[in-house]
């Protein structure tokens, strides 16, 4: 590739060495000392010139090889002309543009924008909150226009965004420009690190997502300075090759000083910082979405009464809220039909299978926001837990049985067991067996109470025993009569005595000792009574 001094020499001899007819016939601008004015970048050098009718253009020559440049710039030139976007400048690629040291090289020319960089504009108008907010709105409108056509600048930073005297924005420098015709091309321009996602350096191919991170950094910086102009001096914006954020901030964004300065500025700033955190949490720029969609997405509320439902029985209620005008539809699972919805609404149903609901929101400016919520459907566990006896004497075996369906785990007391089985236990006392089953909805328990019967016991009784005197002694003195006297015959019948049977407490319904005690029985007294009876006769 040619050197910058060699390119400058060829431009000095434009009538011979500049081959682009448009530039050849123009007048290149010079400074007060008559030297060519040139703006040197990392890949190219630009020479401003004017045509005969007063139009201002930029003649651009590369001093670094840009692979496949001819095809790319032809595609980019055609795409820009077809878009007819006001902020994109007229751009043309010329295969044989300049002769440098005897070799022919391509060049481009672009309409020259008389303006200042967006960074200089911000610094000059930092005390005008209204102008900076209007600038932010124009920047946002510009990015939305690019998104609607799947375009990306590829190196979006303050030096490539110009503001003219009418406060209008323009994008310049299209080396890394992307249009759908370039999908799959290698990403060779990584951009200025202070505006790029850390993953940009390892990005393989170009896409419409090249600018998403840069757009948020620029938009957030404009609004933050509008809200707090002192940030310009604190972060030395005027002298830095950035706005408010540096590449070091992206390593640990929540602990970065600029994060802590912006966060207190209000909820809108907190929402944008949350999007920035989310961006930095991804390892590929292909995972990013436009920040304005992310901000609107955050304002959309879609909730469900549960994310796990019992099959065919449990009602699931969806509730949504969209705080802006939009066309809203709700789709259930893979169904092709969609339900038109109001901005605030609810939907109730039961599910026989796991389903994802999708709320689709289309804004008036063409943005489409989608919110989804997945409901997993499961069968609730069923438990059968029985015993063959519920009241036993100690050590009597008890057989317990169980059968559990739709459970992830089953425990008997604290021991994990199979979903079905039996077990023999010999309880020594009243026992409680606990079966626990865990399903997708939590743990469920069933208990079996084994009652213990008392062993029958006979309580000792104090029964009074009759005092029987069985010592019998009889002394009969016969009278001394001479006369023949007949002694009466005395028949003594032996007295048979029996110990009375005392009824048991169970028979009489008493649980105390018999009362009163039996009187004493005397054989001697009984015989005396017999003699007394005979004598009286």
């Amino acid at each position: 590739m040619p050197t910058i001094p060699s390119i400058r020499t060829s431009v000095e001899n434009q009538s011979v060495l500049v081959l682009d007819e448009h530039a050849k016939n123009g007048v290149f601008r010079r400074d007060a000392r008559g030297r060519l004015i040139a703006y040197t970048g990392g890949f190219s050098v630009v020479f401003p010139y004017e045509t005969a009718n007063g139009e201002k253009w930029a003649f651009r020559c590369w001093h670094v090889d840009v692979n496949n440049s001819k095809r790319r710039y032809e595609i980019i030139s055609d795409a820009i002309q077809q878009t007819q976007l006001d902020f994109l400048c007229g751009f043309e690629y010329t295969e044989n543009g300049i002769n440098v040291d005897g070799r022919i090289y391509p060049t481009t020319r672009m309409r020259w924008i008389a303006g200042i960089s967006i960074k200089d504009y911000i610094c000059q108008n930092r005390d005008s909150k209204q102008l900076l907010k209007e600038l932010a709105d124009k920047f946002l409108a510009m990015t939305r226009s690019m998104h609607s056509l799947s375009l990306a600048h590829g190196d979006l930073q303050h030096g490539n965004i110009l503001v003219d005297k009418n406060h209008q924005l323009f994008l310049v420098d299209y080396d890394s420009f992307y249009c759908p015709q370039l999908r799959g091309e290698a990403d060779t321009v990584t951009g200025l690190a202070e505006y790029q996602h850390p993953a940009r350096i390892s990005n393989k191919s170009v896409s419409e997502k090249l600018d998403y991170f840069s757009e948020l950094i620029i938009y957030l910086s404009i609004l933050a300075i509008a809200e707090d102009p002192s940030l310009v001096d604190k972060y030395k914006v005027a002298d830095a090759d950035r706005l408010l954020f540096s590449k070091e901030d992206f390593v640990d964004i929540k602990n970065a000083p600029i994060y802590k300065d912006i966060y207190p500025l209000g909820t809108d700033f907190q929402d944008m910082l949350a999007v920035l955190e989310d961006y930095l949490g991804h390892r590929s720029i292909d995972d990013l979405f436009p920040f304005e969609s992310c901000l609107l997405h955050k304002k959309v509320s879609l909730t469900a009464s549960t994310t796990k439902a019992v099959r065919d029985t449990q009602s699931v209620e969806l509730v949504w809220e969209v705080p802006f005008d939009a066309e809203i539809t709700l789709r259930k699972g893979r169904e092709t039909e969609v339900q038109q919805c109001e901005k605030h609404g609810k939907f109730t149903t039961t599910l026989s299978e796991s389903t994802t609901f999708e709320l689709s929101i289309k804004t008036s400016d063409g943005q489409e926001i989608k919110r989804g919520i997945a409901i997993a459907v499961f069968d609730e566990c069923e438990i059968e837990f029985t015993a063959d006896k519920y009241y036993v004497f100690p050590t009597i075996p008890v057989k317990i049985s169980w059968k559990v369906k739709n459970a992830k785990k089953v425990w008997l007391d604290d021991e994990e067991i199979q979903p079905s089985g039996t077990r023999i236990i010999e309880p020594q006392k009243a026992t409680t067996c606990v079966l626990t089953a865990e399903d997708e909805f939590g743990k469920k328990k069933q208990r079996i109470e084994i009652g213990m019967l008392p062993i029958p016991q006979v309580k000792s009784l104090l029964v009074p025993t009759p005092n029987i005197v069985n010592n019998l002694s009889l002394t009969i003195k016969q009278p001394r009569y001479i006369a023949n006297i007949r002694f009466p015959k005395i028949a003594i019948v032996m007295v048979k005595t029996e110990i009375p049977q005392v009824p048991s407490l169970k028979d009489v319904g008493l649980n105390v000792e018999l009362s009163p005690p039996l009187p004493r029985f005397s054989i001697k007294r009984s015989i005396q009574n017999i003699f007394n009876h005979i004598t009286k006769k």
Side-chain angles (χ1 to χ4, degrees):
M1 293 301 292
T3 63
I4 295 175
S6 297
I7 295 172
R8 181 184 289 272
T9 299
S10 295
V11 175
E12 287 279 10
N13 298 279
Q14 70 183 87
S15 62
V16 177
L17 300 179
V18 174
L19 306 180
D20 180 354
E21 291 296 327
H22 192 276
K24 179 192 289 283
N25 297 321
V27 178
F28 285 89
R29 294 175 59 188
R30 297 177 181 270
D31 61 17
R33 298 171 61 182
R35 295 175 301 182
L36 280 173
I37 295 176
Y39 300 93
T40 303
F43 299 93
S44 62
V45 56
V46 176
F47 301 90
Y49 69 95
E50 292 185 13
T51 63
N53 60 7
E55 290 182 350
K56 294 180 179 180
W57 287 77
F59 182 64
R60 193 161 181 254
C61 308
W62 284 278
H63 58 82
V64 174
D65 185 26
V66 180
N67 296 329
N68 200 20
S69 58
K70 178 180 178 181
R71 175 180 172 273
R72 286 192 76 257
Y73 285 106
E74 285 177 345
I75 292 173
I76 293 170
S77 178
D78 290 342
I80 290 176
Q81 290 179 20
Q82 291 176 9
T83 62
Q84 297 183 343
L85 296 174
D86 293 338
F87 53 83
L88 293 178
C89 305
F91 170 81
E92 293 185 25
Y93 172 84
T94 304
E95 177 67 14
N96 300 316
I98 192 169
N99 184 331
V100 181
D101 296 333
R103 296 187 63 181
I104 307 301
Y105 295 97
T107 60
T108 63
R109 66 177 183 269
M110 178 185 297
R111 184 162 56 89
W112 182 266
I113 302 299
I116 59 176
S117 74
I118 193 171
K119 186 186 76 168
D120 292 339
Y121 183 89
I122 292 170
C123 292
Q124 291 177 15
N125 297 282
R126 62 180 177 175
D127 294 323
S128 176
K129 187 173 184 177
Q130 180 179 349
L131 278 180
L132 292 186
K133 284 198 169 185
E134 290 175 356
L135 178 68
D137 291 341
K138 292 173 184 176
F139 178 80
L140 184 59
M142 181 180 72
T143 61
R144 286 178 176 174
S145 297
M146 296 282 281
H147 298 163
S148 66
L149 298 173
S150 297
L151 302 176
H153 182 275
D155 186 14
L156 202 59
Q157 43 105 338
H158 64 269
N160 291 331
I161 307 172
L162 303 182
V163 186
D164 69 5
K165 61 182 180 180
N166 296 318
H167 311 288
Q168 298 304 309
L169 293 175
F170 295 90
L171 291 180
V172 297
D173 188 354
Y174 304 143
D175 284 345
S176 53
F177 195 88
Y178 169 82
C179 59
Q181 294 89 333
L182 297 175
R183 182 177 296 277
E185 292 282 337
D187 186 9
T188 58
V189 179
T190 57
L192 195 60
E194 276 65 23
Y195 293 87
Q196 296 300 326
H197 191 286
R200 177 71 188 275
I201 195 170
S202 59
N203 188 53
K204 301 299 183 183
S205 58
V206 294
S207 72
E208 65 271 20
K209 299 191 174 189
L210 294 176
D211 293 342
Y212 290 174
F213 187 85
S214 310
E215 290 166 357
L216 175 58
I217 294 300
I218 295 170
Y219 184 75
L220 179 54
S221 296
I222 296 171
L223 289 179
I225 292 172
E227 194 70 27
D228 184 3
S230 68
L231 294 174
V232 171
D233 292 332
K234 182 173 183 178
Y235 291 94
K236 299 179 174 58
V237 174
D239 300 324
D241 200 19
R242 55 165 172 74
L243 288 175
L244 292 178
F245 291 87
S246 67
K247 62 181 180 180
E248 290 77 17
D249 296 330
F250 305 146
V251 177
D252 186 7
I253 187 62
K254 291 193 73 172
N255 289 317
I258 186 59
Y259 182 100
K260 296 177 181 179
D261 284 337
I262 292 178
Y263 192 87
L265 298 180
T267 56
D268 289 341
F269 292 94
Q270 292 164 13
D271 289 342
M272 286 186 279
L273 288 172
V275 175
L276 180 57
E277 287 180 61
D278 180 70
Y279 276 3
L280 292 170
H282 292 285
R283 297 184 177 181
S284 171
I285 64 171
D286 290 334
D287 297 333
L288 308 186
F289 292 91
F291 77 86
E292 69 271 21
S293 295
C294 296
L295 292 175
L296 289 178
H297 192 280
K298 289 176 65 67
K299 295 179 181 179
V300 175
S301 171
L302 174 63
T303 59
S305 57
T306 181
T307 55
K308 292 182 179 181
V310 181
R311 192 183 312 276
D312 296 324
T313 57
Q314 184 176 355
S315 292
V316 177
E317 183 180 75
L318 301 180
V319 179
W320 61 87
E321 183 174 354
V322 181
F324 49 85
D325 292 332
E327 180 183 332
I328 306 168
T329 56
L330 179 68
R331 186 189 303 275
K332 179 183 176 182
R334 294 184 294 271
E335 294 180 2
T336 56
E337 294 185 2
V338 295
Q339 177 180 340
Q340 298 294 327
C341 305
E342 299 294 331
K343 292 196 298 182
H344 312 279
K346 62 178 59 177
F347 174 73
T348 303
T349 187
T350 57
L351 301 173
S352 58
E353 61 181 2
S354 297
T355 304
T356 297
F357 292 89
E358 182 182 82
L359 192 69
S360 179
I361 304 153
K362 191 171 183 179
T363 64
S364 57
D365 60 358
Q367 290 189 67
E368 188 170 5
I369 303 167
K370 292 185 178 181
R371 291 290 302 272
I373 191 165
I375 311 297
V377 174
F378 302 95
D379 292 307
E380 198 170 18
C381 73
E382 301 174 9
I383 301 175
E384 295 180 14
F385 190 35
T386 58
D388 63 346
K389 306 178 190 70
Y390 292 92
Y391 292 93
V392 294
F393 292 109
T395 72
I396 298 298
V398 177
K399 179 181 179 181
I400 58 175
S401 306
W402 64 89
K403 185 176 182 181
V404 183
K405 296 179 180 179
N406 308 319
K408 296 191 294 184
K409 289 184 178 181
V410 182
W411 296 269
L412 180 58
D413 295 328
D414 295 327
E415 178 187 353
E416 187 172 350
I417 57 174
Q418 294 298 316
S420 61
T422 60
R423 180 169 295 182
I424 304 298
I425 62 173
E426 297 180 355
Q428 301 293 323
K429 59 182 180 179
T431 302
T432 300
C433 297
V434 181
L435 186 76
T436 305
E438 181 181 19
D439 61 13
E440 294 293 337
F441 307 100
K443 291 183 178 180
K444 298 178 177 60
K445 294 184 179 183
Q446 281 196 14
R447 290 176 169 81
I448 288 179
E449 305 284 346
I450 308 296
M452 192 59 56
L453 296 172
I455 297 177
Q457 294 182 357
V458 178
K459 202 169 185 178
S460 59
L461 300 176
L462 296 178
V463 180
T465 303
N467 185 15
I468 300 174
V469 179
N470 54 6
N471 294 325
L472 179 61
S473 176
L474 295 177
T475 302
I476 300 174
K477 291 183 180 182
Q478 293 184 0
R480 295 179 180 180
Y481 293 107
I482 297 174
N484 186 17
I485 299 172
R486 292 182 177 179
F487 191 80
K489 294 181 179 180
I490 300 172
I492 300 175
V493 180
M494 293 300 296
V495 178
K496 184 180 180 180
T497 62
E498 294 182 1
I499 300 174
Q501 294 184 355
V502 180
S504 68
L505 297 178
K506 182 176 180 181
D507 292 338
V508 297
L510 298 176
N511 57 1
V512 296
E513 297 180 359
L514 292 177
S515 178
L518 294 175
R520 293 192 176 190
F521 179 77
S522 172
I523 293 178
K524 180 179 179 180
R525 186 182 298 110
S526 298
I527 294 174
Q528 183 65 47
N529 289 339
I530 292 172
F531 272 100
N532 292 339
H533 181 71
I534 294 173
T535 304
K536 287 181 180 179
K537 290 184 178 180

